[in-house]
Amino acid sequence: QKEVEQNSGPLSVPEGAIASLNCTYSDRVSQSFFWYRQYSGKSPELIMSIYSNGDKEDGRFTAQLNKASQYVSLLIRDSQPSDSATYLCAVPPRGKSTFGDGTTLTVKP
Amino acid sequence: DGGITQSPKYLFRKEGQNVTLSCEQNLNHDAMYWYRQDPGQGLRLIYYSQIVNDFQKGDIAEGYSVSREKKESFPLTVTSAQKNPTAFYLCASSIRGRNNEQYFGPGTRLTVT
């Protein structure tokens, strides 16, 4: 079983819509959860960190964490074409890769 | 400016040659990591180091070697034993501790023919 699983993409939404990206993790010990954005041909960029159950908002981005269900999600409100990228979910590395394979989001004008 | 630098951005080598990828950070981070990314794939951990003069193998260490002689530097050598070395190589660093937020360098795209 992979450490982190993301819902398979690609995901396409119209401009202005809400994009919902989901992730589950297998290790109940994990305390920190991260979302990275990776544009094509570029390196990943950390956009959200979440450590406690509930929601964390940062501008148009909201991360949601449910430790009981081992589930973390990222909502992007008012999606823009510039949000088109691959989004990677991650937990802290402990000797092995702890990134999901990513979900590619396309926001259509 | 604080950050992580990787050089070169593009690297071309002939099969059978060893090649060393550079990674330097001035963020004063203790931990450093090397990942490999193949087209359309996620990140796979090659090696990581939590402190100077110590490092551990990740998922796919075979055919790679590293050193950590300075806190700022974590070079990766891709040896001729690595069967499919062509890939995008990413270096990251983080502060040791429970958060472990990783910050990435711009990457080196290695092509071996």
Side-chain angles (χ1 to χ4, degrees):
Chain A
Q1 183 186 4
K2 296 185 76 171
E3 187 85 13
V4 177
E5 300 268 7
Q6 293 187 242
N7 54 330
S8 59
L11 176 65
S12 180
V13 300
E15 185 173 355
I18 296 175
S20 177
L21 305 162
N22 303 314
C23 173
T24 57
Y25 60 94
S26 60
D27 190 350
R28 289 189 172 274
V29 175
S30 294
Q31 295 293 315
S32 311
F33 306 88
F34 311 107
W35 283 100
Y36 290 81
R37 177 176 62 200
Q38 186 175 24
Y39 291 114
S40 182
K42 303 294 186 182
S43 62
E45 171 193 10
L46 180 66
I47 56 171
M48 287 287 280
S49 305
I50 186 166
Y51 312 109
S52 306
N53 275 331
D55 296 358
K56 178 182 177 183
E57 189 173 314
D58 183 0
R60 295 186 295 109
F61 297 95
T62 299
Q64 299 174 318
L65 174 60
N66 183 326
K67 289 186 179 180
S69 300
Q70 295 178 246
Y71 176 90
V72 59
S73 66
L74 179 71
L75 300 178
I76 306 174
R77 292 184 302 281
D78 188 24
S79 295
Q80 301 298 308
S82 59
D83 295 325
S84 297
T86 297
Y87 291 81
L88 304 167
C89 174
V91 297
R94 292 185 296 109
K96 55 184 177 179
S97 295
T98 49
F99 280 80
D101 287 340
T103 300
T104 298
L105 170 67
T106 301
V107 180
K108 296 188 174 179
Chain B
D1 284 336
I4 304 172
T5 57
Q6 291 185 246
S7 61
K9 187 173 182 180
Y10 298 97
L11 191 54
F12 299 89
R13 281 292 183 270
K14 295 288 188 186
E15 198 173 312
Q17 294 179 332
N18 291 355
V19 58
T20 297
L21 281 57
S22 167
C23 178
E24 304 277 333
Q25 55 97 2
N26 61 4
L27 300 168
N28 200 33
H29 285 174
D30 294 296
M32 296 185 74
Y33 313 83
W34 274 105
Y35 291 90
R36 168 184 173 138
Q37 188 174 38
D38 294 285
Q41 309 270 324
L43 304 179
R44 291 187 289 169
L45 183 63
I46 304 173
Y47 269 98
Y48 64 105
S49 168
Q50 303 278 22
I51 56 173
V52 174
N53 292 322
D54 188 48
F55 48 83
Q56 286 78 41
K57 295 181 180 180
D59 293 318
I60 55 165
E62 186 175 346
Y64 300 98
S65 66
V66 293
S67 63
R68 186 85 188 277
E69 297 176 3
K70 298 187 300 182
K71 187 176 184 179
E72 302 80 16
S73 179
F74 190 41
L76 172 74
T77 297
V78 184
T79 75
S80 57
Q82 169 49 233
K83 290 183 172 54
N84 296 300
T86 295
F88 188 36
Y89 290 88
L90 291 157
C91 179
S93 69
S94 70
I95 298 172
R96 284 185 72 192
R98 72 175 184 94
N99 292 347
N100 274 312
E101 294 177 347
Q102 294 181 69
Y103 296 89
F104 285 83
T108 292
R109 200 166 295 276
L110 173 65
T111 302
V112 176
T113 57

